[in-house]
Amino acid sequence: MDVTSFSTLGGPHPQRGVGVVAPFDFALDRELWRWVPDEVSLHLTRTPYVPVEVSLDLARLVSEHETLAEAVRALTAAEPEVLAYACTSGSFVGGIAGERAMCEAMSREGSVASVTTSGALLEALDELDARRIALVTPYTWSVTQSLEEYLAEAGVSVVGRAYLGLTRHIWKVPYRDVADMARQAASGPVDALFISCTNLPTYDVIPQLEAELRMPVISANQVTMWSSLRRLGTRAVGPYQALVNAGARPGTADFGALDALAEPPVSPAVPPGAAPSDGLPDPPGGPAGPAEPTGPAGPTAEGGWT
């Protein structure tokens, strides 16, 4: 092949970049990319490892300004146009003032606009005009409570909740457990459902839950990408997701198109002793194995799941 023929290709096309700072244990890079249009690239870096399980202490450690500044410096070589801190707990643990200070610290170091997951959450709730929400988290009660305090500070009430009480391996939680918690949390009238934690897989479960629950369903990774891409003047991609597509919101003419998703496909007969299928694909990384119990076994006295 004549190598001179490559001169006719004209590519690669110019790319716009989002610089993403994630905690060291983040395992869902591929999920973030699913919301990103072709002309945008993600440039990811992680905070340094610390031997601490998921907790409020870990949230504080991975959100220190010095840690953020070092991560942003690592991203500047790629010249991103916006910076995103992809961690819910790390961005709500300091309250609204702490979240704003994190954005200021990143923007000061990177000289571009910055967003955090928790700041993007409030932006998304405003977009959806949601003031009473249901909440799903994989966290312990103390971390879940801290998120509720952050939301209350912004004037958002949590009127239903479900949480798993996990301190590690959150990315292994299967979609069926996320869906079960969502149904429990959204048992009463609410404006929207929020699924917290950027390490919890949600992309494929969002449209089915929206169709079943008849309300907007948003997640940590979704709002992070949606908010970041807004600052680039472009849109996130996500079929049948109310935040991403205004036509998929309740009250719009196109919302009825979601009805087709409300009923999962019929699964084949389940052999004796096998786990039933929920019709949803497993998240990236596969389902949790038998040695790694992550699913809710039943309600706790606090209203969560363990």
Side-chain angles (χ1 to χ4, degrees):
M1 181 178 181
D2 183 0
V3 294
T4 59
S5 63
F6 287 115
S7 62
T8 64
L9 295 178
H13 297 295
Q15 288 283 295
R16 309 186 70 186
V18 176
V20 180
V21 179
F24 65 89
D25 64 344
F26 181 69
L28 298 180
D29 305 55
R30 182 173 174 81
E31 174 159 293
L32 290 183
W33 277 95
R34 298 180 74 182
W35 276 288
V36 178
D38 288 343
E39 69 273 12
V40 176
S41 289
L42 299 182
H43 311 297
L44 280 90
T45 191
R46 283 166 170 75
T47 61
Y49 171 78
V50 289
V52 179
E53 293 184 325
V54 177
S55 61
L56 291 175
D57 288 339
L58 178 61
R60 296 184 184 100
L61 286 171
V62 297
S63 60
E64 292 176 343
H65 288 193
E66 184 177 346
T67 299
L68 293 178
E70 183 178 349
V72 169
R73 283 194 294 271
L75 290 169
T76 53
E79 300 181 346
E81 295 180 52
V82 62
L83 295 164
Y85 178 70
C87 178
T88 324
S89 60
S91 52
F92 68 61
V93 69
I96 289 179
E99 189 277 331
R100 290 174 179 166
M102 290 177 67
C103 288
E104 291 170 3
M106 289 192 296
S107 292
R108 186 166 54 247
E109 192 66 42
S111 301
V112 294
S114 300
V115 303
T116 73
T117 299
S118 294
L121 166 60
L122 299 185
E123 186 180 344
L125 292 175
D126 284 343
E127 172 75 11
L128 297 170
D129 194 25
R131 311 317 295 169
R132 288 167 50 87
I133 71 166
L135 179 64
V136 166
T137 88
Y139 311 132
T140 62
W141 169 240
S142 61
V143 181
T144 302
Q145 187 177 39
S146 182
L147 173 54
E148 293 193 23
E149 291 169 355
Y150 171 82
L151 289 164
E153 190 179 353
V156 177
S157 300
V158 175
V159 297
R161 73 184 59 77
Y163 60 95
L164 281 174
L166 298 180
T167 59
R168 62 192 182 100
H169 293 177
I170 290 171
W171 70 89
K172 294 183 179 181
V173 175
Y175 283 138
R176 61 179 172 272
D177 290 357
V178 176
D180 286 345
M181 287 195 296
R183 295 180 187 110
Q184 184 212 6
S187 58
V190 294
D191 300 323
L193 170 76
F194 174 57
I195 306 172
S196 189
C197 190
T198 54
N199 230 3
L200 188 66
T202 58
Y203 185 93
D204 295 301
V205 80
I206 289 173
Q208 187 158 325
L209 283 174
E210 288 190 335
E212 178 182 337
L213 301 176
R214 308 298 295 176
M215 68 178 66
V217 175
I218 58 177
S219 76
N221 282 332
Q222 181 201 45
V223 299
T224 304
M225 289 296 96
W226 170 80
S227 178
S228 300
L229 293 166
R230 277 185 113 191
R231 281 157 177 76
L232 291 183
T234 189
R235 294 176 55 182
V237 294
Y240 301 109
Q241 296 182 14
L243 178 64
V244 174
N245 179 4
R249 297 176 190 174
T252 64
D254 294 339
F255 189 71
L258 292 177
D259 288 334
L261 298 174
E263 293 296 331
V266 176
S267 301
V270 180
S277 170
D278 54 7
L280 288 166
D282 287 319
E292 194 66 50
T294 58
T300 69
E302 294 169 324
W305 287 74
T306 58

